[in-house]
Amino acid sequence: MEAKKTVGTDTDTDTDRSVRGQESVLLVEDDASYSAVVQQTMAVSTFARFEVVCAERLADALQQLRQESFDVVLLDLLLPDSQGLHSFSQVHALAPWLPVVILTGVEDESLSLEAVRRGAQEYLVKGQVDARMLARITRYAIERNRVERSLRESHEFFRLIWENLSDLVAVIDLDGRRLYNSPSYKGILGAPAELLGTDSFADIHPEDRERVKKLFHETVQTGLGREAEYRFLLKDGTTRYVESRGSVIKDEAGRPAKV
């Protein structure tokens, strides 16, 4: 079956849609009258400009996802060729990055919780969501997904940086216990997993240890990073000279939490 496309204005290309801020919605719904209501709602929405592509069967929806780029999926769970969360699982498996808002006639608390646990952005029951709310929820689902993807990309970016640094990067608590050590520690003090929770001062040369502890406590008290030069005493009895600088990580109340 061929999917149907409805827009509030003349049909745009993907480039035009991006420039004009138009959001692309895949509506998977076999009730033609309800689809018409959703399309009309999206066409006159003040929250965003939506372009709606409709599919009446899950197979049609999956084909559309392979062929086109969408910003969100509005998915009914009762389709001619698929029932229940199987529909969501198929969509999510094919496009795991895409936010899916379940829009169904099934009012089932356990089903809704399971859908959210599996990754659905929202679980809405037809008849309990008015037109204005539907448009707003759809837009919020799109924006929330964009923020989450941006955070994941940033996390991955910085993870790659830390894992490939030759410098030593450590996060320690206010008692000097190790919370994180970069992979570069492996060649000097041992595997980061083995260092977790250990005393960061224990590996400092005894002649330098108290001086470094004093600088550490001053850093915590003042909130200002301090530079220090000292020696690590390695397990084989040799020493390694290092130059370090501490920086305070504060909690939501502005109090020092880590260094």
Side-chain angles (χ1 to χ4, degrees), residues 3 16 40 61 109 136 199 205 248 254:
D16 291 336
Q40 183 179 9
E109 186 67 22
R136 182 170 55 193
D199 183 2
H205 195 288
V248 173

Side-chain angles (χ1 to χ4, degrees), residues 24-171:
S24 182
V25 179
L26 175 60
L27 173 62
V28 189
E29 170 63 61
D30 66 324
D31 185 335
S33 60
Y34 190 78
S35 291
V37 172
V38 173
Q39 292 170 44
Q40 183 179 9
T41 298
M42 296 300 184
V44 299
S45 170
T46 59
F47 291 102
R49 291 176 54 81
F50 294 105
E51 178 186 41
V52 180
V53 174
C54 298
E56 296 182 1
R57 302 171 65 87
L58 179 64
D60 300 329
L62 298 178
Q63 186 62 26
Q64 286 291 357
L65 288 172
R66 296 185 184 99
Q67 295 176 345
E68 296 188 40
S69 175
F70 294 94
D71 296 304
V72 66
V73 176
L74 300 182
L75 175 67
D76 189 6
L77 295 183
L78 300 178
L79 299 168
D81 60 341
S82 180
Q83 304 287 309
L85 288 180
H86 175 263
S87 302
F88 170 77
S89 298
Q90 292 293 303
V91 171
H92 191 57
L94 181 60
W97 63 87
L98 197 61
V100 178
V101 174
I102 292 177
L103 186 58
T104 184
V106 180
E107 185 175 1
D108 186 322
E109 186 67 22
S110 61
L111 184 64
S112 65
L113 289 174
E114 181 61 25
V116 172
R117 290 193 189 100
R118 295 192 188 188
Q121 283 277 349
E122 297 282 355
Y123 186 100
L124 307 178
V125 179
K126 298 175 184 177
Q128 296 183 5
V129 182
D130 61 28
R132 181 179 175 84
M133 186 181 296
L134 176 60
R136 182 170 55 193
I137 291 173
T138 300
R139 179 60 189 273
Y140 288 174
I142 293 172
E143 293 303 321
R144 188 185 307 118
N145 181 65
R146 286 172 178 165
V147 170
E148 291 172 352
R149 289 182 66 180
S150 178
L151 289 174
R152 286 194 298 269
E153 290 169 359
S154 296
H155 180 271
E156 179 65 11
F157 175 73
F158 286 108
R159 184 187 66 80
L160 290 172
I161 291 178
W162 295 141
E163 290 187 354
N164 290 279
L165 279 177
S166 57
D167 288 343
L168 307 176
V169 180
V171 179

